[in-house]
Amino acid sequence: MLMALGLDPRLTYTDYELQCAWRRRKRNVHTDNGHDKVIDAAVNAAYVTLIGQAGTPRPVDVRL
């Protein structure tokens, strides 16, 4: 999941760092840039999975 966001899986990241990585990756693979919808969906799924691992519900800001 971390590799889908372009992050090193050997490290740990804060929610803010995950969100920043997701935004960077979305700019590169967004379907408006001519990329495949499957890659875009995989990046979104990775982000949602990782951000939800803390166990406490919190709002997720998904604006680019």
Side-chain angles (χ1 to χ4, degrees), residues 5-60:
L5 297 177
L7 298 173
D8 187 352
R10 295 172 289 178
L11 303 174
T12 57
Y13 299 94
T14 64
D15 286 346
Y16 178 75
E17 291 169 326
L18 290 171
Q19 187 178 46
C20 290
W22 174 78
R23 287 180 179 177
R24 279 192 306 271
R25 191 76 171 119
K26 284 291 284 186
R27 278 188 220 110
N28 294 333
V29 302
H30 197 273
T31 55
D32 289 346
N33 296 335
H35 288 86
D36 191 10
K37 291 180 183 180
V38 174
I39 297 171
D40 188 48
V43 169
N44 286 336
Y47 174 69
V48 169
T49 300
L50 290 169
I51 211 75
Q53 287 181 351
T56 54
R58 62 188 160 286
V60 176

